Amino acid sequence: MQHLSALRERLLQEKQQIEQRLKQNDHFGLTRTSAHDSVGELSNYDNHPADSGTELYEREKDIALNEHTERELHDIDRALQAMENGTYGVCQVCGKSIPWERLEAIPTTTFCKEHSTDQVVSQHRPIEESVLFPPFGEFVVHDDAETFDAEDSWQKVARFGTSETPSDLQEDTVHYDRMYIDAEEQIGYVEPFETFAATDLYGTGITVYPNIVHEQYEQMLDDEQLMSPLGDLPAYEKDPYTS
């Protein structure tokens, strides 16, 4: 009986502390009308998306902390009610007595170890993990007859707009729709010659299909007086070509 009174006093103290803490922090700021009030903002119109992302993260963290605290309060009330009913120390599932060591370690519990609701580890994972595979997803997407791997996804979505402005870009841009970081990266291939050079199944028998990229590629080599983009070649190989 003395041990039960000590546990009751302990639960009442914890309940008082939790209720006082929730009152002081307005349930982690969730009693306000919106997240904007917590940071003194009336609108997100002039905010950088990164700032909005930080605010969203902090808001989600407050929600999680509030849910955890309210669950603690609920468990305390359930244990105190069990004491009033005379069922404290008895498992709600199997009806067996809960060891005193467990009650002393977790005074809010009303379950034995075998039937504890907290012993199951959730197997639910964020849905984003279904498309995150090293190094860049390792999959190929066919969209509008354009093939690219997941590494090109940024260029694909950046064409619809980013938080960057023309003043944020230092390099020259060829088109207003490509004014974003790494816009010069190609979609669907890495090296320019991949758009006009072809081989057979075994990598032999190179065939060149002339196109605009091929002409630009040849012009670039001529301007640099090179026969290969991999570097300069010996004079006896380069001179006949550049002359």
Side-chain angles (χ1 to χ4, degrees):
M1 191 67 178
Q2 181 179 1
H3 295 305
L4 185 62
S5 299
L7 289 181
R8 183 195 301 271
E9 183 65 24
R10 178 178 168 185
L11 289 173
L12 290 174
Q13 290 180 357
E14 291 181 0
K15 180 179 180 179
Q16 182 180 4
Q17 292 175 358
I18 291 176
E19 290 177 341
Q20 184 178 3
R21 184 165 66 250
L22 290 175
K23 182 179 180 180
Q24 290 177 347
N25 59 26
D26 294 330
H27 284 258
F28 293 89
L30 298 181
T31 58
R32 299 185 178 93
T33 56
S34 67
H36 303 304
D37 296 339
S38 62
V39 293
E41 294 283 351
L42 298 178
S43 172
N44 275 336
Y45 181 78
D46 59 343
N47 285 4
H48 193 283
D51 295 331
S52 299
T54 300
E55 295 173 9
L56 177 61
Y57 163 76
E58 294 295 337
R59 189 70 168 180
E60 292 174 340
K61 185 173 66 175
D62 291 337
I63 293 174
L65 291 174
N66 184 69
E67 291 180 351
H68 177 75
T69 305
E70 289 185 345
R71 180 182 177 185
E72 286 183 328
L73 188 60
H74 174 268
D75 292 343
I76 292 175
D77 290 336
R78 183 182 59 189
L80 291 174
Q81 185 63 41
M83 290 181 180
E84 295 293 333
N85 299 335
T87 59
Y88 184 76
V90 178
C91 179
Q92 291 185 357
V93 177
C94 62
K96 296 182 179 179
S97 298
I98 303 175
W100 168 252
E101 292 79 10
R102 176 172 173 80
L103 292 174
E104 188 176 19
I106 314 175
T108 58
T109 187
T110 55
F111 300 93
C112 64
K113 180 180 179 181
E114 288 72 17
H115 297 100
S116 173
T117 57
D118 297 328
Q119 64 182 347
V120 178
V121 179
S122 175
Q123 300 298 323
H124 295 288
R125 304 298 304 168
I127 192 172
E128 293 83 3
E129 291 187 2
S130 61
V131 296
L132 294 180
F133 300 98
F136 297 109
E138 297 183 351
F139 62 84
V140 175
V141 180
H142 298 274
D143 183 18
D144 299 330
E146 186 179 68
T147 304
F148 64 99
D149 59 25
E151 192 273 336
D152 296 320
S153 299
W154 162 250
Q155 288 79 9
K156 188 70 173 179
V157 299
R159 291 184 290 182
F160 294 94
T162 68
S163 61
E164 307 295 339
T165 63
S167 61
D168 295 322
L169 305 177
Q170 298 179 358
E171 64 274 5
D172 296 332
T173 55
V174 296
H175 196 276
Y176 185 80
D177 293 337
R178 294 179 62 83
M179 300 188 70
Y180 51 85
I181 297 176
D182 296 334
E184 70 280 358
E185 289 190 6
Q186 306 299 329
I187 297 179
Y189 59 93
V190 179
E191 297 294 340
F193 61 80
E194 295 181 35
T195 64
F196 55 81
T199 63
D200 59 17
L201 184 63
Y202 303 99
T204 59
I206 298 178
T207 302
V208 176
Y209 296 94
N211 55 27
I212 297 178
V213 179
H214 175 243
E215 296 178 0
Q216 296 174 347
Y217 189 76
E218 291 287 349
Q219 186 62 44
M220 180 271 294
L221 293 178
D222 291 340
D223 294 341
E224 298 294 335
Q225 295 187 349
L226 296 174
M227 290 185 62
S228 169
L230 303 178
D232 210 350
L233 298 176
Y236 66 88
E237 293 186 15
K238 186 184 74 171
D239 292 342
Y241 177 79
T242 55
S243 60

